[in-house]
Amino acid sequence: MATPIAYGPARVLPGEQIHVTTNPDTEPFWQAAREHRLTACQCSSCGKFRMPPSPYCPNCSSKEREWPTLAGTGKVFSFAICSRNPATGDEFVYVPVVVEIDGAGGTRLVGNLTGCNAEDVTIGMPVEIEWTAINDGWVLPNFRVA
Ligand SMILES: [Zn+2]
């Protein structure tokens, strides 16, 4: 059996190198994030979540939508271990995770995971939102081990 690699603590990429661009469909998500409130676009007619947000529901074609507040917990659906900062090329261990959000009909979000060593991340691991301040007053949802 191969010896597992010890990457060490998983960190969040520095906020100053991350920029957010919004449009009318995504603005409510990012405004809620500024208030440290996780939301997702949900069809008001049939209840289906649609993330990324879209003007029309792919299930029932309704234009109606709402933005319910979600618990901010979930489980790791998928992940990767990265060892270099993509902006600088310096050694920097981070773990981009795809998280299935609790209570949101299978909605998944991508973020960085902290709170454990990178080599200890597993599929199905329970996580919770960790808010990271980034440029221009925006706030990015990341995750930490629950
Ligand atoms: Zn619908």
Side-chain angles (χ1 to χ4, degrees):
M1 186 175 153
T3 303
I5 297 172
Y7 293 95
R11 297 186 287 166
V12 170
L13 283 171
E16 61 269 19
Q17 68 188 56
I18 299 170
H19 296 268
V20 165
T21 302
T22 66
N23 63 42
D25 290 324
T26 62
E27 182 87 15
F29 175 86
W30 291 109
Q31 290 297 347
R34 287 172 91 112
E35 303 164 4
H36 293 193
R37 184 173 66 84
L38 182 65
T39 186
C41 181
Q42 183 177 25
C43 178
S44 300
S45 296
C46 74
K48 183 174 178 57
F49 281 88
R50 43 196 220 238
M51 289 293 282
S54 59
Y56 294 93
C57 176
N59 190 48
C60 75
S61 301
S62 172
K63 289 171 66 176
E64 302 304 314
R65 58 187 174 183
E66 53 199 64
W67 298 87
T69 297
L70 304 172
T73 58
K75 291 187 172 49
V76 173
F77 176 82
S78 183
F79 69 95
I81 298 173
C82 301
S83 58
R84 297 243 175 235
N85 183 318
T88 66
D90 296 337
E91 278 192 37
F92 189 99
V93 174
Y94 67 104
V95 181
V97 286
V98 179
V99 171
E100 189 161 309
I101 300 298
D102 291 338
T107 293
R108 296 176 191 146
L109 282 182
V110 177
N112 292 169
L113 181 67
T114 61
C116 69
N117 287 336
E119 63 271 24
D120 295 332
V121 179
T122 58
I123 302 294
M125 175 181 270
V127 298
E128 58 191 18
I129 286 283
E130 178 173 277
W131 300 104
T132 303
I134 57 174
N135 286 291
D136 306 319
W138 295 108
V139 176
L140 189 69
N142 281 306
F143 299 95
R144 67 173 164 264
V145 176

